[in-house]
Amino acid sequence: MKKFLAAFIAILAICAGLAYGSNQLTKSTGDTGNKVLNLYNWGDYIDPALLTKFQKETGYHVNVETFDSNEAMYTKIKQGGTSYDITVPSDYMVQKMKADHMLIPLDKSKLKGMNNYGSSFMNKSFDPGNKYSIPYFWGTLGIIYNDQSVKPGSLTHWNQLWSKKYRNDIMLIDSSRDILGFSLISMGHSVNTTNSTELVAAKNKLNRLSPNVKAVVADEIKMYMAEGEAPVAVDWSGEASEMMSQNSHLHYVVPTEGSNMWFDDLAIPKTAKHFKAIYAFLNFMNKPENAAQNAEYIGYSTPNMAAYKLLPKNVRDDKQFYPDQQVLDRLQVYSNLSPQKVQEYNDLYLEFKMHH
């Protein structure tokens, strides 16, 4: 009897283990029933309080999985196997995923609040008519400087970075499109040029910047600048906002010649399954009060102009992150380049880094 009981208990334990394992596997693939939304997002890129609020209002539980690059997100979705309902590609990646038939068109009849978005942030070249994407956050590439070393208002042009007074003073974000991009702009060229002569000239000009470059770094640039390790940096506005929150001597400027205007966007990947939850979430995020709360949490610029009006006055009036229309008109959005041209950009950028 004891042997029988022990065997029976062992069988029950095995069954329970299999059930638990199956449940965990189901969760890991995002398929936990119809009352869920599987969000594939950048890390720490939505206010957790909003997810709680959404769940309470709608009954949909949000499963969040994160990625650290557009390319990693693209590969995971292309491989399939995980039922992501919404993802957050950047501008050029929307264009690439659309071309590769990896996105589902938005059903505009199910969307509310689309008129909240500013015209400057809609109908961009990477998604004409916003057929596949809704702008989530936007920003720019620019120059961060420390007013303990650089006089406020004195650094307003890309070409000033080549001045001898900034020798070994500049940190650059490690990004081929952005670094070659500002060199191209400083020469009057497009950030999307496919002209090899222009690209080589931009790289050669970067080589002449090398004596001024203290380091080419990735995420740690935020820490270095916040701690005063360099007087000047070239980085994105979102990261500049984080630095400035830690060091009141830091300032951000978009050079007068123009710069890159980047977007992160909400889109529906081909793996999507829970469409009622998807449109409930998109409409929830379109609401001004929710978009404003999210913008305050993240610290990036919102394209939702109804939400913008709800932000604190000091945020609304900050031209570093909400520049005038004349500045917006000079900004360029990245286009998706062919694999061969992307490789050319990367090779030239690597040559510059090796030269440095």
Side-chain angles (χ1 to χ4, degrees), residues 113-159:
M114 293 299 292
N115 59 338
N116 291 333
Y117 292 91
S119 58
S120 296
F121 313 116
M122 301 291 283
N123 196 35
K124 307 306 285 187
S125 58
F126 61 88
D127 185 18
N130 290 89
K131 186 177 179 181
Y132 292 90
S133 66
I134 300 173
Y136 183 58
F137 284 114
W138 70 276
T140 55
L141 180 77
I143 299 170
I144 301 101
Y145 66 88
N146 191 312
D147 64 22
Q148 293 179 308
S149 304
V150 179
K151 182 181 178 181
S154 67
L155 184 51
T156 59
H157 301 281
W158 288 117
N159 277 319

Side-chain angles (χ1 to χ4, degrees), residues 151-226:
K151 182 181 178 181
S154 67
L155 184 51
T156 59
H157 301 281
W158 288 117
N159 277 319
Q160 289 177 273
L161 296 177
W162 277 262
S163 170
K164 290 181 179 179
K165 68 180 177 180
Y166 297 122
R167 181 145 313 220
N168 200 39
D169 277 352
I170 302 171
M171 287 195 172
L172 302 178
I173 189 66
D174 191 3
S175 169
S176 60
R177 286 294 293 269
D178 291 304
I179 303 309
L180 276 167
F182 82 74
S183 184
L184 285 164
I185 290 173
S186 75
M187 302 173 75
H189 300 315
S190 166
V191 296
N192 296 307
T193 186
T194 56
N195 184 310
S196 294
T197 301
E198 292 178 356
L199 286 170
V200 170
K203 188 270 293 184
N204 289 338
K205 186 171 182 178
L206 284 175
N207 286 348
R208 297 194 292 274
L209 182 67
S210 290
N212 291 3
V213 177
K214 186 180 184 74
V216 180
V217 289
D219 232 19
E220 60 271 27
I221 194 171
K222 292 181 288 187
M223 176 188 69
Y224 289 142
M225 290 303 293

Side-chain angles (χ1 to χ4, degrees), residues 10-73:
I11 292 170
L12 282 178
I14 292 170
C15 290
L18 288 172
Y20 176 80
S22 175
N23 184 51
Q24 291 302 105
L25 182 61
T26 299
K27 285 183 179 179
S28 70
T29 58
D31 190 9
T32 59
N34 292 323
K35 295 295 288 183
V36 299
L37 176 80
N38 298 314
L39 174 62
Y40 196 25
N41 197 3
W42 300 84
D44 195 26
Y45 208 30
I46 189 169
D47 184 351
L50 282 174
L51 297 180
T52 302
K53 181 181 178 183
F54 174 73
Q55 183 168 335
K56 287 181 178 178
E57 286 187 5
T58 66
Y60 293 111
H61 174 74
V62 183
N63 297 315
V64 180
E65 190 170 326
T66 62
F67 55 85
D68 59 8
S69 73
N70 278 287
E71 287 66 32
M73 177 270 296

Side-chain angles (χ1 to χ4, degrees), residues 331-349:
L331 301 177
Q332 302 179 45
V333 176
Y334 290 136
S335 295
N336 181 46
L337 301 173
S338 69
Q340 295 79 12
K341 196 55 64 173
V342 169
Q343 190 61 52
E344 184 177 350
Y345 270 77
N346 290 342
D347 289 346
L348 289 169
Y349 177 62

